[in-house]
Amino acid sequence: MAESGIYHGKPPLGTRLGQWFKNVPVRFKNFFAAIGRKFKRIPARIADRAHYIKTAPRSVKASMCLMGVGQIMQKQIVKGILFLLMFAGYIVYMALAGGTAMYDFFSLGVVPPNPWVGIEGDNSVVMMLLGTLAFIITGFFISVHLANIRDAQRTHDFVARGNPTPKFRQSLASMFDKYFYVTALVLPVVGVFVFNILPIIFMIFLAFTDYSGQIVLSGSLVSWIGFANFSQLFSTGLIGSTFIKILGWNLLWAVMSTFLNYFGGLAIALLLNKKIVKGKRIWRAFPILAFAVPGFITLLAFKFMFSNLGPINYYIENTFGGTGQMFFGIDSKWSARTIGWLVNAWLSIPSSMLLATGILANLNPDLYEAARIDGASPWKQFIKITLPFVIFATTPVLIGQFMGNFNNFGVFYFLRGGIICDGYFLASDTDLLINWLYSLSIDNKYYSLGAAISIIIFVIAAVISLIVYVKSPSYAKEDMYR
């Protein structure tokens, strides 16, 4: 009988999978029960908010109704005027442009352009963009309004404790002292919203429209079509079958590429870490030189090497007496995929090697000495000591490599771009989702369908990354190697 409290290793994979599927109904039950509990708490939260509004001081109620009035009532004149100016600026913006932009966002225009009779018409895409911006500005205004209410409440509580009303100079000083992190992040946050969040939200909205090259050429208005683009991707037609095939290949490519690149770099680092290897600096220089060459130049060089008239086919025909191969032909599915894996490994293994070399240098050699005394084989030492330590230290990098491989646009674009295979909609059997997205959006003007694919790519990549990271020792056992 096994003694209690002694760790005997993980159960077999089949047992763990069976247990996971066995717990699926319980997980669903707990998930929906948690949602139900949240809905049950809504009336209580509403009652708490109503009670707070009812019992709030007059200055706080005034700030709820009109930004800045509560501050003015508490003799914070400058701060109150600034809040009032922000409120007035938002009202003016909504009256002059924001309200119209929000209305146009839902309608996407009513007057189609007609160049034959000189009617400029409505630009649906611009309306969608301006409407999105109006909603973001409104969200920012709501957050400022809530901050104004909290500020009025804090000031009231501060004065109620017998303190004098803070002067504007004191508030300004606290912005550069106690709340400096907020002040320093204002401009970066605004920049992120304008240059990152706005394009992402616009792209998400675009996925629910019929925007395409045909709309542009015909001068028609863009319309909201709901989930029609997503239903096409999961339908049984040519677009749906293309999406499923490319998605399956994309996942296989990402997993295999990450495995080859990561463990290839780790293997070279372990080899160069051996004391019997002479001239380590020279051997390390070769992968670094390959890594230093721009990637697209390397890809074009490999494309020439494996082309019909390239050196590989030359040696096959003239040295070995064989028949030349179409490595990147329309029917060369697995040969092109295999070459893609090898070329990507050539480009990526050096960085993995450098990373693993630095980590192995920090590994305590006493662990190996103790393992050798206990009779552990080199393979056992690698499995029990080296690999856990390296994976623990590099899990975020490993996830980043997986994401890079999942969205690796360059490899097959340069090696086999422009090929369309039978059974695929404007794609080849080596295209990844990012390549198909580019072909649909840039080359063939299926903008809304491309936007839907980009959303799916983001969801898949985000879910896989979060699950892997949360389940990894880097997250669950953060203090293991400290």
Side-chain angles (χ1 to χ4, degrees):
M1 182 181 294
E3 298 180 18
S4 60
I6 299 178
Y7 177 69
H8 297 281
K10 291 183 178 180
L13 178 61
T15 304
R16 282 183 282 152
L17 288 175
Q19 189 66 31
W20 189 89
F21 282 107
K22 182 180 179 181
N23 292 333
V24 166
V26 178
R27 294 173 187 269
F28 271 103
K29 180 181 177 181
N30 293 338
F31 174 75
F32 287 107
I35 294 178
R37 287 193 295 270
K38 288 184 178 180
F39 275 104
K40 286 181 180 179
R41 287 197 293 265
I42 289 178
R45 290 182 177 179
I46 294 175
D48 290 341
R49 294 291 184 270
H51 177 72
Y52 170 72
I53 293 173
K54 183 178 180 181
T55 59
R58 290 178 56 197
S59 59
V60 177
K61 290 180 180 179
S63 284
M64 291 179 186
C65 298
L66 188 60
M67 280 174 54
V69 175
Q71 284 78 7
I72 294 175
M73 290 175 62
Q74 298 182 88
K75 300 180 181 179
Q76 292 183 310
I77 306 300
V78 178
K79 185 188 292 186
I81 291 175
L82 290 176
F83 275 121
L84 276 173
L85 288 175
M86 283 189 280
F87 179 81
Y90 176 74
I91 296 299
V92 170
Y93 165 73
M94 291 300 295
L96 297 179
T100 303
M102 287 184 175
Y103 173 80
D104 291 339
F105 173 84
F106 293 103
S107 67
L108 295 181
V110 294
V111 180
N114 191 339
W116 296 103
V117 296
I119 299 176
E120 184 177 353
D122 296 326
N123 191 324
S124 300
V125 176
V126 173
M127 288 179 173
M128 187 188 304
L129 181 62
L130 294 178
T132 304
L133 181 61
F135 282 113
I136 292 177
I137 291 174
T138 300
F140 176 74
F141 169 76
I142 292 173
S143 65
V144 172
H145 188 62
L146 294 175
N148 146 74
I149 297 172
R150 288 193 297 268
D151 178 76
Q153 182 68 58
R154 280 196 303 266
T155 303
H156 176 272
D157 295 341
F158 184 77
V159 174
R161 292 194 294 268
N163 300 305
T165 302
K167 303 297 182 183
F168 181 70
R169 277 192 319 235
Q170 295 173 308
S171 301
L172 200 60
S174 67
M175 290 177 60
F176 293 94
D177 184 15
K178 184 179 179 180
Y179 299 105
F180 177 74
Y181 65 95
V182 177
T183 307
L185 289 175
V186 169
L187 285 179
V189 168
V190 171
V192 166
F193 266 96
V194 173
F195 298 107
N196 293 90
I197 304 299
L198 178 59
I200 291 173
I201 296 176
F202 176 74
M203 180 270 298
I204 293 173
F205 288 147
L206 202 64
F208 297 93
T209 68
D210 59 354
Y211 185 50
S212 65
Q214 184 178 0
I215 296 290
V216 175
L217 293 175
S218 64
S220 304
L221 295 173
V222 178
S223 302
W224 295 105
I225 59 173
F227 291 90
N229 289 314
F230 295 92
S231 64
Q232 283 192 75
L233 294 175
F234 293 99
S235 67
T236 57
L238 182 59
I239 294 178
S241 64
T242 301
F243 172 73
I244 296 300
K245 287 187 284 189
I246 292 180
L247 176 60
W249 157 237
N250 205 150
L251 291 171
L252 175 63
W253 157 266
V255 171
M256 284 297 298
S257 295
T258 305
F259 180 85
L260 289 173
N261 301 344
Y262 186 80
F263 286 99
L266 179 58
I268 296 176
L270 287 171
L271 180 62
L272 296 178
N273 205 40
K274 297 293 184 182
K275 294 181 180 179
I276 60 174
V277 177
K278 305 299 182 183
K280 295 181 180 180
R281 294 181 180 179
I282 298 175
W283 291 115
R284 286 194 181 108
F286 285 107
I288 294 173
L289 290 175
F291 181 66
V293 177
F296 78 94
I297 294 178
T298 303
L299 290 169
L300 292 176
F302 274 98
K303 182 178 182 179
F304 169 71
M305 288 173 59
F306 287 96
S307 64
N308 297 341
L309 301 177
I312 303 297
N313 271 324
Y314 173 83
Y315 284 111
I316 290 176
E317 296 173 357
N318 296 281
T319 303
F320 301 102
T323 304
Q325 302 294 315
M326 296 280 291
F327 292 104
F328 297 125
I330 195 170
D331 297 322
S332 305
K333 178 179 178 179
W334 285 105
S335 65
R337 290 181 174 184
T338 304
I339 293 171
W341 272 316
L342 296 177
V343 173
N344 190 49
W346 175 271
L347 293 170
S348 304
I349 280 179
S351 61
S352 299
M353 181 205 71
L354 293 174
L355 178 66
T357 300
I359 293 171
L360 291 174
N362 295 319
L363 194 54
N364 189 353
D366 294 340
L367 296 174
Y368 293 99
E369 186 66 27
R372 281 192 292 268
I373 293 173
D374 290 341
S377 64
W379 175 251
K380 206 72 172 178
Q381 295 175 33
F382 173 76
I383 293 296
K384 296 296 184 181
I385 300 176
T386 306
L387 190 59
F389 180 77
V390 174
I391 290 181
F392 173 83
T394 61
T395 297
V397 178
L398 187 60
I399 294 173
Q401 288 185 353
F402 177 82
M403 292 297 95
N405 289 319
F406 190 86
N407 293 315
N408 196 328
F409 173 79
V411 171
F412 292 108
Y413 178 79
F414 287 105
L415 291 179
R416 203 168 177 244
I419 292 179
I420 298 177
C421 296
D422 292 336
Y424 287 80
F425 180 73
L426 301 176
S428 70
D429 47 24
T430 54
D431 279 345
L432 305 179
L433 286 174
I434 192 70
N435 298 108
W436 191 37
L437 166 62
Y438 180 86
S439 176
L440 289 173
S441 301
I442 306 302
D443 295 337
N444 297 282
K445 308 299 186 291
Y446 287 93
Y447 301 115
S448 57
L449 191 60
I453 294 173
S454 65
I455 293 174
I456 294 174
I457 291 175
F458 169 76
V459 171
I460 293 174
V463 168
I464 293 176
S465 300
L466 288 174
I467 291 176
V468 171
Y469 182 66
V470 170
K471 295 293 184 181
S472 69
S474 297
Y475 178 85
K477 302 175 182 179
E478 188 176 353
D479 297 329
M480 178 184 295
Y481 289 97
R482 289 186 178 179

